[in-house]
Amino acid sequence: PELLLPCVANAQGTFFFILWQKEGFAMKHLLRALSGLLTAALLLTGCHPAQALTSSTAPPAPGTARVWFFDVGQGDSELIQTPGGANILIDAGTAECAEDLVAQLNTLQIQKLDAVIATHPHADHIGGMEAVVKAFPIGAYFMPEIAERQVPTLDVYTRLLEALTQRGIKATRAGPGVTAWSESNCTLRFLAPHSTQYQDLNNYSAVAMLTVGSKRFLFTGDAEKESEQEMLQAGDSLRADVLKCGHHSSKTSTTEAFLSAVSPSAAVISCGRGNDYGFPPEETLARLKRHGVTVYRTDAQNTICATTDGKQITFQTGLPKVTDT
């Protein structure tokens, strides 16, 4: 079992948690010895122990937002809980985790999804979406426009479209300048895709920037270097405090130029344990390290939750997995 110690801050001011393996009685003495140092660190960083050590299933406190990076194995799924009480789901992992993802959302007391974003039609991102569409009322549904010749014929995609039709849900095209959500002090706006003609489905990924106060989170789906370059050329500000690494941290994404423009303090990699693709590759990890980025990984730290009041961000790791697949 692992013990979640209070958060401390790195040089960039990013708050993070230390996971430590329990070693019986000796661990108690170590904790006692560290308590003074940790207390001082908490006072310096402004991180409150009660907030750091508690992962509540209740909605966030007024004025705060939570961003969940669910551990769905080799896939992607994030949930944004806004300061105003809205719930926004980005992707839904694989079909194998569909039932567990719905259960996780129920555990978080989600009664309605105000917006849902399917970044692109790959099974590890939309596999669980049919179950989500059937389980919750949905306010708005966003997906990219795919060239007709590339529209998937996968059963999982066909069933999703059928579920949307049955529920009377019309999809809105995700693209630059489209706002997925807006409320006081909080917006979610699309930055990509810039084209409807890509060779690779990954580059159709709907990329979205969440802004809460002065803090920003960039969600990139599986966007690769071609889409990253288009975003750089578009001239939008890509700066973000937290980057969800594109394509599960593949070397095809998170290029040097893109990472420099985003300049995050923290990055989240969503990938499965012992996956067949070798994610995360050393090349990407080394690049993130050179930029001084604190890395969080669902394959190593399970579900990850970031909480922000618009002025600072705290992270919790080691939270329950959605699925063991």
Side-chain angles (χ1 to χ4, degrees):
E2 293 176 319
L3 179 66
L4 189 64
L5 296 183
C7 61
V8 294
N10 66 5
Q12 289 75 33
T14 301
F15 295 90
F16 61 98
F17 293 82
I18 303 171
L19 290 172
W20 205 303
Q21 297 293 325
K22 290 182 179 178
E23 297 293 347
F25 182 76
M27 190 62 195
K28 296 179 182 178
H29 294 282
L30 178 59
L31 286 173
R32 201 171 286 131
L34 286 173
S35 63
L37 291 174
L38 288 169
T39 300
L42 291 169
L43 290 173
L44 288 172
T45 62
C47 177
H48 305 291
Q51 180 184 18
L53 294 173
T54 302
S55 175
S56 174
T57 57
T64 64
R66 283 201 196 112
V67 179
W68 298 84
F69 301 88
F70 293 129
D71 179 1
V72 290
Q74 185 53 41
D76 252 34
S77 184
E78 295 88 37
L79 175 71
I80 300 167
Q81 295 181 289
T82 73
N87 297 295
I88 303 167
L89 184 70
I90 303 177
D91 288 334
T94 64
E96 290 75 19
C97 77
E99 184 178 338
D100 293 329
L101 178 60
V102 170
Q104 177 78 357
L105 294 173
N106 284 326
T107 298
L108 293 174
Q109 303 180 34
I110 305 300
Q111 297 181 351
K112 176 186 177 182
L113 291 170
D114 298 273
V116 171
I117 299 168
T119 61
H120 66 295
H122 273 159
D124 58 334
H125 290 251
I126 62 160
M129 197 66 82
E130 176 194 3
V132 169
V133 168
K134 290 180 176 179
F136 299 96
I138 293 174
Y141 187 91
F142 297 91
M143 59 192 298
E145 181 180 345
I146 309 292
E148 187 173 349
R149 61 183 172 81
Q150 291 173 286
V151 173
T153 57
L154 297 172
D155 284 345
V156 67
Y157 185 63
T158 302
R159 291 197 305 269
L160 169 57
L161 295 181
E162 291 173 349
L164 290 170
T165 300
Q166 290 169 3
R167 295 295 302 272
I169 299 171
K170 294 184 178 180
T172 299
R173 177 178 176 263
V178 176
T179 297
W181 188 258
S182 180
E183 63 185 52
S184 177
N185 210 34
C186 176
T187 60
L188 182 66
R189 187 171 64 90
F190 292 111
L191 303 180
H194 280 266
S195 174
T196 58
Q197 298 288 333
Y198 292 107
Q199 293 299 313
D200 193 317
L201 276 177
N202 286 334
N203 282 314
Y204 285 102
S205 289
V207 176
M209 179 76 79
L210 172 69
T211 302
V212 181
S214 65
K215 297 302 178 182
R216 290 160 50 113
F217 296 72
L218 184 58
F219 303 90
T220 56
D222 275 357
E224 298 187 350
K225 57 185 177 183
E226 183 177 352
S227 180
E228 291 183 356
Q229 184 61 34
E230 288 175 341
M231 285 185 275
L232 289 168
Q233 293 174 345
D236 287 328
S237 172
L238 299 175
R239 187 205 62 78
D241 301 279
V242 180
L243 169 67
K244 201 290 296 182
C245 288
H247 199 191
H248 316 284
S249 78
S250 167
K251 62 183 180 181
T252 63
S253 308
T254 319
T255 58
E256 182 70 32
F258 187 74
L259 184 57
S260 295
V262 178
S263 189
S265 296
V268 178
I269 295 172
S270 181
C271 62
R273 293 158 189 75
N275 63 83
D276 296 334
Y277 307 97
F279 298 150
E282 286 300 323
E283 179 180 334
T284 302
L285 293 176
R287 189 179 302 125
L288 291 166
K289 183 177 181 180
R290 286 198 304 271
H291 282 259
V293 181
T294 300
V295 176
Y296 298 91
R297 297 167 44 175
T298 60
D299 66 326
Q301 296 163 298
N302 302 348
T303 291
I304 297 156
C305 182
T307 302
T308 183
D309 60 359
K311 299 177 181 178
Q312 64 178 24
I313 302 172
T314 59
F315 281 88
Q316 290 175 280
T317 62
L319 304 178
K321 308 174 188 178
V322 171
T323 180
D324 289 323
T325 59

